[in-house]
Amino acid sequence: MGEKFLVHGGARLTGEVTVGGAKNSVLKLMAAALLAEGTSVLTNCPEILDVPLMADVLRGLGAEVELDGETARITTPAVLNHRADFDAVKQFRASVCVLGPLMAREHRAVVALPGGDAIGSRPLDMHQSGLRALGATSSIEHGCVVAQADSLVGAEITLEFPSVGATENILMAAVLAKGLTVISNVAREPEIVDLCTMLVQMGADIEGVGTDTLMVRGVDKLHPTEHRVIGDRIVAATWGFAAVMTRGDITVNGIAPETLGVVLQKLQDAGATVTERADGFRIASPERPHAVNVATLPFPGFPTDLQPMAIGMACVADGTSMITENVFEARFRFVEEMVRLGADARTDGHHAVIRGVEQLSSAPVWSTDIRAGVGLVLAGLCADGVTEVHDVFHIDRGYPNFVGTLTALGGRIERVS
């Protein structure tokens, strides 16, 4: 955790990248494997730090997990340990997604409140209210979510906000509940669709996949399956922003471009030439980007995970951009680090106003989360001299072989202790 990156400015990134499986999908799919006794196999898993961390969480619940490159084999026993303690879940937020499977299988769960990225409060109120609607009791006790039920029974549930995490937990609890569950105002992210696809392969009865309403008819039992994780749209788009910020030309493979519709449009508005293919896209942007306004929203809107990259692009763009954050209130902490690099940026509540400069200036900066860390690296590529990016373990949690990929594209970056 004491490692840092030395990022040399002035590189123009060019070349080809193939993205692996989605971080925001694979961790939830690993949790879904708990729903069926036996061995499930996930392929196209990204080789990132969060995958072995999630494997440790599942092992603590009694599962056997074997990681072999891009393949994860998860063997789930007949009876699960219902406690996920703090040591297992403290390092990353996605660990809370074991709550739904534990309630479905064991009708009881004690899951420590998770840690993870410093991007603002992400309370579990909607997770708990969904479980209560299914017939469970749920409360926060001694730093843990404590839930139990004699049985889970289908219900009509409307989410206050299309929360990805709440959608996933309620969905995974409902697939083994008795009767029909209707969940309205659900998240529609491609990662939710990927989870539904795997659950249906396991024998779940789900209708409305990809819409804002899911209808789940509970079944008595699910069976193990083999499933390929979808490509990581956030990593894919990151390389698109890298091309625009460095006035480069990058082809990205392994992703369905329709999952990034609004993002690719913003890159095009910034002056890039965007060419879509069935399994990827190409971003060519030889000139300084134009300023564009961006507002983060749930899918199909602009992803909050790409907000730091949008800010990075705005900092070197020609003109003034307004970036509006509608999902996580603390994501603008990243702007303070950009100011260290010479950015002309001001924040006010949910808004950041950024006047682009021709070139940033190198300085020591600190990552506060996965995406902010990568955004700082991309900014360092647009600065004079060498930028030190600290706390790069965050980047390792979400970007496989980040240094190797960036180097192959022509960037100059070193990892040092």
Side-chain angles (χ1 to χ4, degrees), residues 35-346:
L35 288 164
E37 181 182 354
T39 301
S40 290
V41 179
L42 298 176
T43 60
N44 197 38
C45 297
E47 295 185 65
I48 55 175
L49 183 58
D50 273 11
V51 169
L53 291 177
M54 189 65 179
D56 286 342
V57 172
L58 301 190
R59 291 181 185 116
L61 298 174
E64 296 179 8
V65 184
E66 178 187 348
L67 302 179
D68 182 11
E70 296 182 352
T71 301
R73 293 178 177 84
I74 302 165
T75 302
T76 301
V79 178
L80 291 165
N81 174 15
H82 70 283
R83 302 183 65 92
D85 62 24
F86 182 71
D87 285 340
V89 306
K90 65 182 178 182
Q91 298 184 72
F92 66 119
R93 179 74 184 188
S95 55
V96 77
C97 66
V98 301
L99 180 61
L102 288 177
M103 288 303 297
R105 285 287 308 278
E106 301 300 328
H107 294 166
R108 56 178 181 163
V110 179
V111 180
L113 295 175
D117 293 331
I119 57 176
S121 62
R122 294 190 276 188
L124 300 180
D125 295 356
M126 285 186 284
H127 302 242
Q128 295 188 83
S129 62
L131 293 178
R132 293 186 188 115
L134 295 174
T137 62
S138 181
S139 59
I140 305 294
E141 301 176 17
H142 308 292
C144 297
V145 182
V146 179
Q148 60 182 8
D150 293 332
S151 64
L152 297 181
V153 180
E156 293 192 7
I157 301 168
T158 300
L159 299 181
E160 297 176 10
F161 177 85
S163 160
V164 171
T167 298
E168 291 162 341
N169 263 327
I170 297 168
L171 170 65
M172 288 191 281
V175 292
L176 293 178
K178 298 177 181 177
L180 175 66
T181 299
V182 179
I183 317 169
S184 302
N185 197 30
V186 298
R188 293 185 288 156
E189 274 71 2
E191 295 79 16
I192 296 289
V193 174
D194 200 27
L195 174 61
C196 289
T197 300
M198 177 171 169
L199 292 173
V200 170
Q201 290 171 193
M202 297 173 74
D205 186 346
I206 305 171
E207 295 181 15
V209 176
T211 74
D212 62 2
T213 301
L214 292 175
M215 293 172 286
V216 186
R217 292 176 178 82
V219 297
D220 293 334
K221 186 178 181 180
L222 297 179
H223 54 78
T225 191
E226 180 171 334
H227 180 76
R228 178 178 174 83
V229 184
I230 61 169
D232 197 315
R233 63 195 174 101
I234 304 302
V235 172
T238 296
W239 297 120
F241 277 97
V244 174
M245 290 175 65
T246 65
R247 308 183 193 185
D249 185 343
I250 298 176
T251 297
V252 181
N253 303 311
I255 184 70
E258 57 268 22
T259 64
L260 288 169
V262 67
V263 176
L264 296 180
Q265 183 60 55
K266 290 295 181 182
L267 294 178
Q268 186 168 305
D269 292 345
T273 299
V274 179
T275 306
E276 297 185 20
R277 301 198 317 272
D279 65 340
F281 55 86
R282 177 186 175 189
I283 306 293
S285 186
E287 306 294 333
R288 183 182 177 189
H290 310 310
V292 294
N293 297 330
V294 170
T296 66
L297 289 167
F299 189 85
F302 191 95
T304 182
D305 279 358
L306 290 173
Q307 183 244 76
M309 292 63 172
I311 288 177
M313 184 175 73
C315 287
V316 297
D318 182 9
T320 300
S321 305
M322 177 176 285
I323 311 298
T324 303
E325 176 55 56
N326 293 308
V327 181
F328 292 131
E329 71 277 5
R331 268 224 146 101
F332 280 151
R333 293 180 186 178
F334 167 76
V335 177
E336 300 172 8
E337 300 304 305
M338 291 298 296
V339 171
R340 293 180 192 268
L341 295 174
D344 183 353
R346 303 289 185 274

